[in-house]
Amino acid sequence: IIAVPSFGGRVPAVAVERLKMIKGQGAKAVAVVVYGNRAYDDTLLELKEDVEETGFKCMAAVTAVAEHSIMRQFAAGRPDKEDEKELKEFAEKIKEKLAEGKAEKSPVVPGNKPFVVYNGVPFKPKGSSECIKCGLCAAKCPVNAIPVNNPSETNVDMCISCMRCVSVCPKNARALNAEMLGAVAKKMEKAFEGRKKNELFI
């Protein structure tokens, strides 16, 4: 299972770089894209192509909704029990495909080329005076954007705004600019309306 979050409708560049270090050697794979109830745009097509270019055989693809990592009021509480039930059903269908010997068939997935352009987001979390310098955020940052010797700071050029540091901080000492975040959330509210569905492509 190769899973990535959707960042602005694309696979995060760092995920692409790391995936290309792996040699699939014909192993069967399921491509999974997680997104925050707006849209995943070209992420699934891009991931499927990256998976296959790396030498895996993509036998199924899934899109799954989870709480938005930046504007957490959108899809709050997801995945919920309904999602869990649905994803388990997807897993059973994928197992059936494997058992029937049909795993060689690659699924058709949505997406367009050229892929949408993603230039990142202006939201970069910073530490507050509540920071106890435990270093957990620095240890968990996937791109080393937080200096170990000064974890209340953030290297904004390296930060990919994944919000991992915000979610792991034991003191809730890392956050975004609340006013800016509120304004953007209000502007984008319509795009997040309704309950988006998980999807299986097989």
Side-chain angles (χ1 to χ4, degrees), residues 5 22 30 34 36-37 43 65 69 84 107 123 129 133 138 172 178 186:
I22 303 170
V30 178
V34 180
N37 206 63
T43 317
V65 179
S69 59
E84 287 175 20
F123 304 114
S129 58
K133 304 196 184 300
N172 297 317
K186 190 70 179 170

Side-chain angles (χ1 to χ4, degrees), residues 110-145:
N112 297 292
K113 282 189 156 186
F115 296 140
V116 294
V117 176
Y118 175 64
N119 295 314
V121 295
F123 304 114
K124 308 295 179 183
K126 293 181 180 178
S128 69
S129 58
E130 300 296 313
C131 176
I132 58 172
K133 304 196 184 300
C134 68
L136 184 61
C137 58
K140 297 290 185 180
C141 177
V143 292
N144 301 313

Side-chain angles (χ1 to χ4, degrees), residues 72 123-141 144-147 150-156 159 161 163-177:
R72 300 178 72 173
F123 304 114
K124 308 295 179 183
K126 293 181 180 178
S128 69
S129 58
E130 300 296 313
C131 176
I132 58 172
K133 304 196 184 300
C134 68
L136 184 61
C137 58
K140 297 290 185 180
C141 177
N144 301 313
I146 301 169
N150 191 7
S152 61
E153 293 298 314
T154 304
N155 183 324
V156 295
C159 176
S161 305
M163 304 300 137
R164 176 78 166 148
C165 61
V166 174
S167 67
V168 301
C169 180
K171 294 294 181 181
N172 297 317
R174 293 186 67 81
L176 299 167
N177 181 308

Side-chain angles (χ1 to χ4, degrees), residues 99-114:
E100 291 168 3
K102 297 178 180 177
E104 302 300 312
K105 186 182 175 186
S106 179
V108 175
V109 303
N112 297 292
K113 282 189 156 186

Side-chain angles (χ1 to χ4, degrees), residues 72-92:
R72 300 178 72 173
Q73 67 270 39
F74 299 122
R78 295 187 71 183
D80 55 24
K81 288 188 176 178
E82 186 180 330
D83 292 314
E84 287 175 20
K85 179 176 178 288
E86 193 168 37
L87 293 169
K88 282 178 182 176
E89 289 169 359
F90 290 176
E92 289 302 319

